[in-house]
Structure formats: C-alpha cells, structure tokens
C-alpha cells in the first residue's frame, strides 16, 4: 500500500548517504551544464524562518506527516491518482523529518543555478503538492462532473 512512499524515502536517503560519503560540505561536482551536486547541510527550514528552532521544525513536520498519513488512510488503499500523490508527499516528508530528527540537519545536494539547493525529498514534496493543486483546480479525470450541454 505504501510502496511509493517507501520507495521515495529510500531513494532520498540513498542519494543523501552517497553525497555525504563522497563530498565534503561545500564541495561541488559538475554533472551537466547548469547542474551540480553541491553538498550543503540545511540546519533550519527552507524559508529560514525557523533556523535554530530544530525542535519546533521537527514537531511541525511530524504533525504534517501525521495529517498526510491520515488523509492517505482515508483515501483507502485503492491505487487512485489522489492516493499516489499523498504517498509521494508522505515519502518525501518522512525522509526530511528523519534527517532533521536524527542528524539535526537536512542534506541538500542538487544545485541548479536558478534554484536554491534541494534534495530528492524536496522534489517529491513539491511534485506531490503541485499535483494536488492541479487536481483541486482541474479535478481528477475519473471524478469530473459533466457540464450542461
């Protein structure tokens, strides 16, 4: 049932472990033009509002993970598009939560010159949220109500 969430968590943790073992913080490796692997340790929250308040960030993230898991459970185990989006969000959220609780920081390593550093978990979270917003605005194809002729 939660295979996608577990796969997202495992992929993120594996890539972060690889980066930590191969690069020092601040060290960069060019991958493609405009793309680098640049190891960074993020001690606060992405928007830097909660920097230095790790306990609060862990509690806030844990609350979000709990709510997301409740929504996923309410959607049921059917392989609906809605449930898959929540599983992606859940996997990314749990992975970053684990890093904050266990390491006291999150490892960011993907650097595109037009964006701040991020990791796979961030990508999963952003993708899941974007898909949820798209579904809210447009609706899921299987649940559309036909308009009047």
């Amino acid at each position: 049932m939660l295979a996608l969430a577990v796969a997202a968590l495992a992929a993120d943790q594996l890539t972060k472990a690889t980066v930590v073992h191969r690069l020092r913080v601040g060290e960069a490796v060019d991958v493609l033009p405009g793309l680098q692997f640049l190891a960074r340790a993020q001690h606060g929250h992405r928007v830097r509002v909660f920097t230095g308040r790790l306990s609060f960030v862990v509690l806030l993230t844990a609350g979000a993970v709990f709510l997301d898991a409740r929504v996923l459970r309410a959607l049921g185990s059917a392989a609906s598009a809605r449930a898959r989006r929540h599983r992606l969000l859940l996997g990314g959220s749990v992975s970053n939560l684990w890093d904050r609780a266990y390491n006291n920081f999150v490892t960011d390593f993907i650097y595109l010159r037009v964006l701040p550093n991020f990791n796979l978990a961030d990508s999963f979270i952003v993708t899941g949220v974007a898909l949820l917003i798209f579904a809210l605005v447009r609706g899921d194809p299987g649940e559309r109500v036909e308009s009047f002729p």
Side-chain angles (χ1 to χ4, degrees):
M1 175 177 152
L2 295 176
L4 184 58
V6 171
L9 186 144
D12 183 60
Q13 289 297 310
L14 180 64
T15 56
K16 288 175 183 173
T18 301
V19 166
V20 166
H21 285 87
R22 298 193 182 238
L23 296 176
R24 290 182 303 272
V25 173
E27 186 178 357
V29 174
D30 291 325
V31 178
L32 296 169
L35 171 65
Q36 290 181 325
F37 286 165
L38 174 61
R40 297 265 188 215
Q42 184 199 112
H43 293 277
H45 192 267
R46 173 68 59 207
V47 293
R48 300 186 197 273
V49 172
F50 302 117
T51 301
R53 297 182 177 156
L54 181 66
S55 299
F56 181 74
V57 172
V58 168
L59 287 173
L60 185 67
T61 307
V65 166
F66 174 77
L67 288 175
D68 196 43
R70 297 265 321 211
V71 169
L72 180 59
R73 185 173 179 205
L75 291 173
S77 60
S80 70
R82 191 178 293 159
R84 283 192 300 273
R85 288 188 288 268
H86 279 278
R87 289 179 187 136
L88 196 59
L89 276 167
L90 187 62
S93 298
V94 168
S95 189
N96 276 346
L97 174 61
W98 172 261
D99 287 344
R100 282 191 175 92
Y102 185 73
N103 299 325
N104 294 331
F105 63 89
V106 173
T107 301
D108 289 334
F109 63 92
I110 302 169
Y111 178 67
L112 300 170
R113 287 176 181 32
V114 296
L115 297 171
N117 272 47
F118 60 98
N119 56 48
L120 289 183
D122 297 335
S123 299
F124 299 146
I125 293 166
V126 169
T127 301
V129 168
L131 290 171
L132 282 170
I133 291 170
F134 182 75
L136 288 172
V137 170
R138 185 161 175 174
D140 285 330
E143 298 177 5
R144 285 195 188 146
V145 176
E146 295 297 323
S147 60
F148 293 105

